[in-house]
Amino acid sequence: MITTLTQLEKQVDEQITDPLYPEVTLVCGQVEHWPGVRDGGELEEIYFIVKNRVGSLGDRLRTWVLSEYGPSSRLADWQTVPTSRQLRAEDEADEPF
């Protein structure tokens, strides 16, 4: 069972064949639970792996939050988290020949 962010990043790295065009992406999301943070509700941070495919990732994440947490929660924010392997590949691609 994956228990740390480092283990999750390692799993992502093991699944991708080309770090510049990964098949899966590590995502960090914040789920806001009703009545909302400003009114005393909770904000939960979650990390998960998603498959890269055509379409809006934001829409897919919002649908997932609705199905997992119900209508009293919403996706407040999300961002992709590049792995160290992906960052190295981007640095190497930017270097002049």
Side-chain angles (χ1 to χ4, degrees), residues 76-96:
D77 191 24
W78 66 274
Q79 63 183 354
T80 59
V81 180
T83 65
S84 55
R85 181 177 171 210
Q86 291 169 313
L87 292 173
R88 280 193 308 275
E90 288 175 7
D91 285 343
E92 292 170 3
D94 290 339
E95 292 178 2

Side-chain angles (χ1 to χ4, degrees), residues 58-78:
D59 290 343
R60 289 173 40 210
L61 294 175
R62 281 185 280 281
T63 301
W64 180 83
V65 167
L66 181 64
S67 71
E68 289 294 312
Y69 294 94
S72 63
S73 299
R74 72 176 189 90
L75 182 66
D77 191 24
W78 66 274

Side-chain angles (χ1 to χ4, degrees):
M1 174 163 200
I2 296 174
T3 58
T4 67
L5 184 55
T6 303
Q7 291 172 327
L8 193 57
E9 179 182 338
K10 182 179 177 190
Q11 184 179 0
V12 169
D13 278 340
E14 290 172 352
Q15 293 183 41
I16 57 177
T17 55
D18 183 351
L20 293 177
Y21 302 97
E23 296 86 354
V24 294
T25 301
L26 180 59
V27 174
C28 173
Q30 292 181 332
V31 178
E32 185 176 27
H33 301 286
W34 190 85
V37 174
R38 291 184 180 147
D39 297 323
E42 296 179 16
L43 190 64
E44 179 180 357
E45 186 172 271
I46 55 175
Y47 289 85
F48 45 94
I49 299 172
V50 295
K51 288 185 179 183
N52 291 331
R53 60 179 195 218
V54 177
S56 170
L57 179 56
D59 290 343
R60 289 173 40 210
L61 294 175
R62 281 185 280 281
T63 301
W64 180 83
V65 167
L66 181 64
S67 71
E68 289 294 312
Y69 294 94
S72 63
S73 299
R74 72 176 189 90
L75 182 66
D77 191 24
W78 66 274
Q79 63 183 354
T80 59
V81 180
T83 65
S84 55
R85 181 177 171 210
Q86 291 169 313
L87 292 173
R88 280 193 308 275
E90 288 175 7
D91 285 343
E92 292 170 3
D94 290 339
E95 292 178 2
F97 292 84

